[in-house]
Amino acid sequence: MKLIEEYQSKVLNNDYSEGSGATAVISSNIEMKMNEYGEYKEFIQDIDKVTEEEARKITEVSPMFSSYNEDTIAKKIFSQTKNIKYREKIGYYTNLYAGHVAEADYRSLASSGGMGTWILKELFEKKMIDGVIHVKATNGGAQAPLFKYDISYNIEEIREGAKTKYYPVEFSEVLKKVKNQPGKYAIVGIPSFIMAIRLLAQQDEVIADRIKYTIGLVCGHQKSSKFADYMGWQVGIKPGNLIAIDFRKKLNYGAANKYAVEMTGLVDGEVKTITKSTNELLGQNWGQGFFKSKASDFTDDVMNETADITIGDAWLPEYVKDNLGNNIIIVRDNGIQALINEGIETKKLRLDILDEDTIIKSQSSHYKHTLDELPYRLYKKDKNNIWHPKKRITASNDLSFLRKKVQDLREIMSTDSHVLFKNAIENDNIELFTSKMKEYDSKYTRLYQLISLREKGLKSILKK
């Protein structure tokens, strides 16, 4: 079997691709298209025209097939950095922080503490970069994708890219522009996308030269475009009529993890903006994985270990009570560390230094699913003789009965959400989706009630 045929058979046919678009930067024979379920996928147009050398490069820029992993890439990039430290689960780092931006309105415009946009602004103002590659709203009308990767060349444009977008994007088109437009760029991305950039830089000298900084986000999992459609449909905006969405609308009360979704679209021919708290919308429980990309279940990188700086939500008791939001920050690049040091000194940033255990605790649920229970997901593939990407974690069946049930149900919910929603759209009947997913939601709730009872029982026995 040719290498490209092996890649198609193992990665593409089994739906393991992360959908970043890195392979399409390497080869004109690969096109990134949104499939019927609202996910960007790689399509090989003429497999016979892919040369062996091209196939080698394609497979080496795929995080799911490359001979490199996050450990080997991160060690190559960061291990010689001055004052660098290392901790498994976190990766390399110079400093760990939690806090927010105090300067101007960066925090209020952000999903949490505003650190992502502020870092990009600082890099730009100090001429460390000429442009920012990040995700922005398209303003392309109801039928167009709501978000895409774009390049910002001034502070106003950079600020337009603030906030989290739970929406599929790919960067092949924008990186082709970068290759034709000399300059220094920073790129923002989720773990698999930043890893793909690192792998691409090893195969493409222009990308290696022009991408100067990588800004990594902590990401629970990727969503299809149907997640946004379903949020809209629940408030009367039918699929195809959603014009804009803010997935993380801050509320002026409560904790930081209590936020709303703001949706704008056509309702009975009239443009309306409707805001709903997440607890009023089915599908906002991240553990249930509505519309989750399959590739998300086969990553073992929580803290975006190959990024120059990683930014996430500070889901810690001492920070979450602040409804304005705070970030966790993992710094790996000394140039970015200098910007943060200056920001602290000038009081533009209000940051606390964290220890390793605390920053790991901030993403405890993410670690449980992504690292602790990935071995079971790998085991299930091995048991059924299904190929899966090689991970840094070994397959194992060593998981409690109830946690196995949680993992099994999550897989069913994620897989069925794509198919059921497609059927609901085809029949113009939201209840064909909602009624079945509510059944799964009830099973999921009962499972967690059983887990809670078991844990309380053990604690009670231990106390006695």
Side-chain angles (χ1 to χ4, degrees), residues 181-341:
Q181 295 174 203
K184 299 173 293 185
Y185 298 89
I187 187 167
V188 182
I190 61 176
S192 59
F193 280 39
I194 297 299
M195 179 62 173
I197 284 288
R198 296 301 198 186
L199 295 173
L200 185 59
Q202 294 191 146
Q203 303 297 326
D204 190 312
E205 292 181 356
V206 176
I207 294 297
D209 177 64
R210 294 180 184 173
I211 304 296
K212 299 297 184 183
Y213 295 96
T214 54
I215 314 301
L217 307 175
V218 176
C219 173
H221 60 257
Q222 292 173 260
K223 295 287 193 186
S224 80
S225 66
K226 306 306 178 185
F227 176 66
D229 285 341
Y230 183 53
M231 294 303 107
W233 206 354
Q234 289 182 75
V235 298
I237 303 171
K238 288 188 174 184
N241 289 337
L242 186 64
I243 297 169
I245 183 167
D246 180 350
F247 295 99
R248 295 279 296 269
K249 180 77 172 178
K250 289 182 178 179
L251 299 172
N252 294 321
Y253 55 87
N257 58 354
K258 306 298 182 185
Y259 50 86
V261 182
E262 182 180 84
M263 297 152 279
T264 300
L266 292 170
V267 180
D268 298 325
E270 182 183 350
V271 175
K272 292 185 178 180
T273 296
I274 302 167
T275 302
K276 288 284 184 180
S277 173
T278 54
N279 60 19
E280 298 178 85
L281 297 165
L282 184 64
Q284 285 287 335
N285 183 327
W286 232 244
Q288 294 178 346
F290 281 39
F291 308 103
K292 177 167 58 177
S293 165
K294 181 179 175 180
S296 295
D297 269 345
F298 293 89
T299 179
D300 54 15
D301 182 359
V302 172
M303 290 298 195
N304 218 319
E305 296 170 41
T306 66
D308 292 318
I309 179 173
T310 296
I311 298 166
D313 291 297
W315 299 138
L316 293 161
E318 58 269 42
Y319 294 100
V320 78
K321 61 186 177 182
D322 183 348
N323 69 285
L324 293 176
N326 285 280
N327 292 119
I328 55 164
I329 305 110
I330 302 171
V331 188
R332 303 187 180 95
D333 175 83
N334 281 334
I336 291 177
Q337 182 65 66
L339 298 179
I340 289 175
N341 291 344

Side-chain angles (χ1 to χ4, degrees), residues 101 103 106 114-122 339 343 348-349:
V101 180
E103 180 183 9
Y106 285 93
M115 279 299 299
T117 306
W118 186 87
I119 286 291
L120 294 169
K121 181 266 294 185
E122 287 291 301
L339 298 179
K348 293 178 180 179
L349 302 178

Side-chain angles (χ1 to χ4, degrees), residues 81-86 90-98 307-311 328-334 336-338 340-341 344 351-356 359:
T81 302
K82 186 179 179 181
N83 299 322
I84 204 74
K85 295 175 277 290
Y86 180 82
I90 299 172
Y92 290 94
Y93 72 93
T94 55
N95 273 299
L96 309 172
Y97 301 100
D308 292 318
I309 179 173
T310 296
I311 298 166
I328 55 164
I329 305 110
I330 302 171
V331 188
R332 303 187 180 95
D333 175 83
N334 281 334
I336 291 177
Q337 182 65 66
I340 289 175
N341 291 344
I344 294 171
L351 302 181
D352 302 319
I353 294 175
L354 296 189
D355 60 39
E356 295 173 343
I359 209 155

